[in-house]
Amino acid sequence: MKAKVFVTLKEGVLDPQGKAIQHSVELLGWRGVADVRQGKYFEIVLDQSLGVEEARALVERLASEVLSNPVIEDYRVEIEAV
Amino acid sequence: MKAKVFVTLKEGVLDPQGKAIQHSVELLGWRGVADVRQGKYFEIVLDQSLGVEEARALVERLASEVLSNPVIEDYRVEIEAV
């Protein structure tokens, strides 16, 4: 089974990396980009022995306790049965 | 219009950050995680004036020329009409 975790900065938290990318794009002269925010993305391979509910519980815990900082970040989990 | 870009290391490229996470999870004693790979995730807000095809072309170019390193990374683009 595979899981995907998306970690993004909460609304309102300053994202200097995203702003730097947006600024670079403006310097390149490309028009049309109004905002860029950078987040993190994780692909997690889980043991085949886990059930879907077990897998979801494990990945939710991983996302909230290891992969994200709950003070400034939100996360989203997707489970993919292969 | 919004776009999402996912940048991941190509198959076979070593991912020390992912390995470090996997190792930490093992040290925590959590069972069931076979592999972790870390990637980058971008949320891009585009000007309303752009059409879907125009937006896709812009974001594809952004992903390949600015957000990813084509030597070691793959990218995937999703366009979301809001």
Side-chain angles (χ1 to χ4, degrees):
Chain A
M1 207 165 334
K2 270 178 90 170
K4 293 175 177 177
V5 178
F6 307 85
V7 176
T8 49
L9 286 168
K10 281 184 204 281
E11 200 88 17
V13 176
L14 198 68
D15 177 7
Q17 214 166 354
K19 284 281 168 254
I21 294 166
Q22 191 188 344
H23 186 59
S24 306
V25 171
E26 277 166 20
L27 290 182
L28 283 169
W30 300 0
R31 298 269 159 253
V33 175
D35 191 30
V36 179
R37 286 181 79 80
Q38 175 158 10
K40 286 177 283 185
Y41 170 61
F42 301 90
E43 289 182 347
I44 298 164
V45 180
L46 299 159
D47 284 348
Q48 291 301 333
S49 58
L50 295 181
V52 173
E53 283 316 306
E54 230 176 344
R56 179 170 295 278
L58 174 64
V59 175
E60 287 272 349
R61 193 171 165 205
L62 200 62
S64 69
E65 294 183 25
V66 178
L67 302 178
S68 73
N69 174 354
V71 178
I72 56 165
E73 290 170 329
D74 288 324
Y75 65 86
R76 187 162 56 82
V77 168
E78 279 178 17
I79 303 284
E80 269 179 17
V82 182
Chain B
M1 208 166 331
K2 268 179 90 171
K4 293 176 178 175
V5 178
F6 307 85
V7 177
T8 48
L9 286 168
K10 282 186 204 280
E11 200 88 15
V13 176
L14 198 69
D15 177 8
Q17 215 166 355
K19 284 283 169 249
I21 294 166
Q22 191 188 344
H23 186 61
S24 305
V25 171
E26 277 167 20
L27 290 182
L28 284 169
W30 300 1
R31 298 271 160 253
V33 176
D35 192 31
V36 179
R37 286 181 79 80
Q38 174 157 10
K40 286 177 283 185
Y41 170 61
F42 301 91
E43 289 183 346
I44 298 164
V45 179
L46 299 158
D47 283 350
Q48 292 300 331
S49 59
L50 294 181
V52 174
E53 285 316 306
E54 228 176 346
R56 179 171 295 277
L58 174 64
V59 176
E60 287 272 349
R61 193 170 166 208
L62 200 62
S64 69
E65 294 182 27
V66 178
L67 302 179
S68 73
N69 174 354
V71 178
I72 55 165
E73 290 172 328
D74 288 323
Y75 65 86
R76 187 161 56 82
V77 168
E78 279 177 19
I79 303 284
E80 269 179 18
V82 183

